Amino acid sequence: MADEYPEIADHGLIGDLQCAALVATNGTIDWFCFPRFDSPSVFASLLDQERGGYCSARPAAGDYVTRQLYLPDTAILITRFMTEVGVGEVIDFMPVADGPATDHHRLVRLIRVVRGSMDFVVEIQPRFDYGRSSHEIELRDDGAVFSSDDATLTVRRVGEPILRGTERAGHVELVDDGLRVTATLNVGEITGIVFESGEGEPGPLSRDDVVDMFLATRQYWRDWNNRSTYRGRWREMVARSAMTLKLMTYAPTGALVAAPTAALPEQVGGERNWDYRYTWVRDASFSVYALLGLGYTDEAEAFVDWLMDRIRESVGTGSGPLKIMYRVDGSSDLVEETLDDLEGYRGSSPVHVGNGAADQLQLDIYGEAMDAIHLADTHGLELPHQGWAQIRDLLNWVCENWDQPEEGIWETRGGRQDFTYGRFMCWVALDRGVRLARRHGRPAPLATWIEQRDRIYEQVMERGLHPDRGAFVQHYDTDVLDASLLLMPLMGFVAPRDPMWLATLDEMDKELVSDSLVYRYDPAASPDGLRGSEGTFTLCSFFYVDALARGGRLDDAQLVFEKMLTYANHLGLYAEEIGLTGEQLGNFPQAFSHLALINAAVNLDYQLDHGSGDVEAVLQKGRRGA
C-alpha cells in the first residue's frame, strides 16, 4: 500500500479562507475538511488509501503525463494531463469566503480538453469524520447528496450533459459507497462538478454560474497579490508564500493555522505525526513580521486583534495566561485522540487529531507575542487603554514566572528543562513592554520590568553559554545546540558580530548544518521523549540565512537562501521538514516555512542593498520591504 501514496510534495493547496483541500498531481483530492480547517475530514486518503475517502479526476487511459501549476497570481490550481491524442485539464478552486463564518462552502472541479479528445473518469468516495461515519447516497438528475449523521456533501453537475447526436456522452454508476462518472470530451468542451457543504440548492449549475465563480476567485487573488509592497529579488517565491499564508488564514477571526493537514509524518513510518490545524501563538506572531514586511497591514491587524482577545480571555492556568495554541475561533478544546482505524501516511502511525501539547508551558510565546505587538505598534497599530492594561498584567506574570523549567519551543515530551530560547524570549517580552511604555508614556512598573529583564540577560549569559563549547546551548544542563537560538541576533539579544555569537554560529555550522539545510537539534544527543528521527527544519534553514547575513557573511547567506528555494515543490510550497534526499516531510504546506522564507527574503534584500549591520534598521525598514 505504501507505493500507492503520492509524495507529500506532490500536492497543491486550494482554499476559501475558512477551509482547504489538497490536490495531488494525479488529480486526486486526498485531503478536505469542512466547514473549517479543524473540522473532521470528508476526504482523507492521504492518511489511508482504503478508508480515508477521495475524489479523483483523471484520464481513463493510464498512459499520460501530468503537470501542475497555479494560474499566475492566484490560488486556482490547474492539473494537466497530456497524451498523444489529447491534452486535458482539471481546474480546482474554491470561491473565497472572506467574511463571517459559514457552513456553506464550495469546491469547484472543472474539466476541459484543450487539444484532441480525452475520456475522463471522476470517482467520488467520501468518508465522513475521518472515515468513522457511514453515509447514505441520494442520486439526483443534477448530481448527488451524501449524508452522514453530522455532515452533508452535495455534488452538483456543471451545465447540461454533453450530447453526441441524441445520446449523452457520459455515464454515472454507483461504486462501493460512492459514484463513478465517465465522460468523453473533445477539444473546447467543458464539464465538471461542484461540491457544496450542506444540502445546497437543487439543479445543475450553469457554465455561466461557474465561470462567474472562476472570474471572481481569480480577481480576488490578483487584487490581493497586487497589494504587496515587496519589490525585491525573489518576487515570485515571496508572492507564492504570501498567498499560501493567506490560504491558511481563517478569515472570520484572522487566525493563522500552522498547516491545513494532520498527522503527516516527520519521519515516514515513525510516530511524530501531529495535528497542525490550529493557531499557535508563536507561529502566528511570526506571521506579523511577514505580513507587515509585505505591506499587508489589515491581515497583521486582524491577527493582533485575535491575539489580544486571547490575552483578554486569559484565566491564569498552570500553563500561564496564554495557551500555546487555540482553535481558529479562539476556543481551546484540543483534546488529542488517536484514529486507530487509519493506517497513516505510508503506514506512519499513530494518526493524531487534536493536540496534547496545548497545555504545555512554553515561555517563549510571551516574547514572540510581545515582539509582534511591538512591531505592529511601529506600523501605527497602537493598543487602546484596555489592551495596554491586559499587556501589563501579562508582563507582570512573566516577571514572576520566567525562572522555571518548561517544555520549550519544540514541544518535546521528555520533561521540562531550563530552555535557553524560552529564557531569552522572556527577555524579549519585557524589553518590548518597556519600549512600548516609554514610547507612549503608558503607566507600568518599569523598575520591576527592567530589573527582571536584566536578570534574565545575566542568567542566559552565565548559564546558557556553555563554558567548554563557548556557544549558547539548548538548555542549562546540556551541551546540545539548538537552531532556535539563531533568532538571538534578530531579536536584539546579542550583537550579530559579537565573538560569543559568532562562535555559536561556527558550532552550528559544524553540527546542525548540512549544506543549506539545518536541523533544529540532535534528538539522539538530547532525548525528547519520542522515538525516531526527523529531517532538517525548513524554518531553521531560513533563520540561518538571516543569521549569516547579520554576521557579515552576505555571500553565504544569499547562496544558502537560493539553495533553499530549490527544495520547494513544483508549486513553490514547503512542508515542515526536508529529508536526506530532499523529500518534503511533515504537515503540508507549513506556515512556519513560508513566513520564514518571506522574512529571510525581505531582510536579506535590505542587507544586500545596504550592507549587513544595524538590527533595528532591519527590523523597522527591512521588514517593510524597503
Side-chain angles (χ1 to χ4, degrees), residues 15 116 147 151 157 181 206 243 292 303 323 452 505 571 575 581 610:
S147 300
R157 186 183 69 244
V181 182
S206 72
M243 281 186 279
L292 291 177
F303 171 72
K323 287 183 173 290
Q452 295 302 314
L505 191 57
L571 297 169
T581 57
H610 300 86

Side-chain angles (χ1 to χ4, degrees), residues 508-519 544:
M508 289 188 183
D509 284 341
K510 298 171 188 175
E511 188 169 302
L512 298 183
V513 179
S514 175
D515 192 28
S516 61
L517 303 174
V518 180
Y519 291 92
Y544 181 58

Side-chain angles (χ1 to χ4, degrees), residues 253-475:
T253 64
L256 175 78
V257 296
T261 58
L264 291 180
E266 297 172 18
Q267 178 189 26
V268 174
E271 67 172 343
R272 299 166 185 255
N273 318 311
W274 313 114
D275 189 349
Y276 277 13
R277 297 171 298 155
Y278 309 112
T279 300
W280 269 253
V281 169
R282 175 187 306 110
D283 304 33
S285 294
F286 281 136
S287 75
V288 172
Y289 306 152
L291 294 167
L292 291 177
L294 303 182
Y296 291 113
T297 306
D298 291 345
E299 286 77 4
E301 183 175 15
F303 171 72
V304 171
D305 288 344
W306 179 92
L307 177 61
M308 292 305 302
D309 285 342
R310 305 292 77 76
I311 295 173
R312 186 179 305 115
E313 297 164 358
S314 64
V315 293
T317 64
S319 61
L322 283 176
K323 287 183 173 290
I324 67 168
M325 70 181 90
Y326 299 84
R327 292 187 181 274
V328 290
D329 63 356
S331 61
S332 56
D333 177 18
L334 281 80
V335 175
E336 185 172 303
E337 60 179 315
T338 300
L339 303 180
D340 294 324
D341 291 336
L342 298 184
E343 72 166 7
Y345 176 80
R346 298 190 174 182
S348 303
S349 63
V351 173
H352 296 288
V353 293
N355 202 304
D359 292 322
Q360 287 188 353
L361 175 65
Q362 297 177 17
L363 293 171
D364 65 279
I365 64 172
Y366 300 100
E368 288 133 0
M370 283 302 304
D371 197 46
I373 291 168
H374 174 262
L375 187 64
D377 182 84
T378 67
H379 285 71
L381 305 178
E382 295 182 24
L383 291 172
H385 167 72
Q386 187 60 39
W388 174 251
Q390 292 152 3
I391 290 296
R392 187 174 55 193
D393 291 342
L394 181 145
L395 292 178
N396 288 338
W397 182 91
V398 172
C399 285
E400 296 173 358
N401 290 275
W402 64 264
D403 194 12
Q404 61 176 307
E406 40 129 0
E407 275 88 3
I409 179 177
W410 306 129
E411 297 173 3
T412 57
R413 302 194 180 191
R416 293 184 174 183
Q417 300 286 349
D418 294 310
F419 284 104
T420 306
Y421 180 78
R423 290 294 200 277
F424 108 73
M425 273 296 180
C426 287
W427 176 92
V428 171
L430 294 171
D431 178 73
R432 301 317 190 251
V434 170
R435 296 189 194 196
L436 284 170
R438 285 175 168 169
R439 179 182 299 151
H440 297 294
R442 298 289 175 85
L446 285 178
T448 300
W449 291 2
I450 292 170
E451 177 189 6
Q452 295 302 314
R453 182 195 66 183
D454 294 349
R455 280 189 62 201
I456 298 170
Y457 182 89
E458 296 293 349
Q459 186 189 92
V460 171
M461 289 300 178
E462 179 182 349
R463 301 183 63 192
L465 190 67
H466 195 275
D468 296 329
R469 299 200 69 165
F472 290 102
V473 290
Q474 185 179 67
H475 61 79

Side-chain angles (χ1 to χ4, degrees), residues 36 208 300 461 472 599 626:
R36 296 192 328 199
D208 288 344
M461 289 300 178
F472 290 102
N599 290 335

Side-chain angles (χ1 to χ4, degrees), residues 163-293:
L163 299 178
R164 300 277 149 67
T166 59
E167 297 183 359
R168 293 180 180 179
H171 179 66
V172 179
E173 59 181 322
L174 291 171
V175 178
D176 298 328
D177 293 317
L179 297 177
R180 177 181 293 142
V181 182
T182 59
T184 300
L185 279 72
N186 293 322
V187 61
E189 292 180 332
I190 299 175
T191 188
I193 56 175
V194 176
F195 292 107
E196 294 187 357
S197 58
E199 289 289 347
E201 297 180 4
L205 286 162
S206 72
R207 288 186 178 85
D208 288 344
D209 290 336
V210 177
V211 168
D212 287 345
M213 293 181 201
F214 173 88
L215 293 176
T217 304
R218 185 183 68 177
Q219 193 62 45
Y220 175 88
W221 286 107
R222 289 185 172 173
D223 288 346
W224 189 85
N225 188 61
N226 287 337
R227 286 174 47 205
S228 173
T229 58
Y230 179 74
R231 299 294 182 268
R233 295 165 174 80
W234 300 285
R235 295 187 191 182
E236 185 175 350
M237 289 298 294
V238 167
R240 181 51 57 195
S241 288
M243 281 186 279
T244 303
L245 291 180
K246 183 67 172 176
L247 280 169
M248 289 189 278
T249 301
Y250 184 66
T253 64
L256 175 78
V257 296
T261 58
L264 291 180
E266 297 172 18
Q267 178 189 26
V268 174
E271 67 172 343
R272 299 166 185 255
N273 318 311
W274 313 114
D275 189 349
Y276 277 13
R277 297 171 298 155
Y278 309 112
T279 300
W280 269 253
V281 169
R282 175 187 306 110
D283 304 33
S285 294
F286 281 136
S287 75
V288 172
Y289 306 152
L291 294 167
L292 291 177

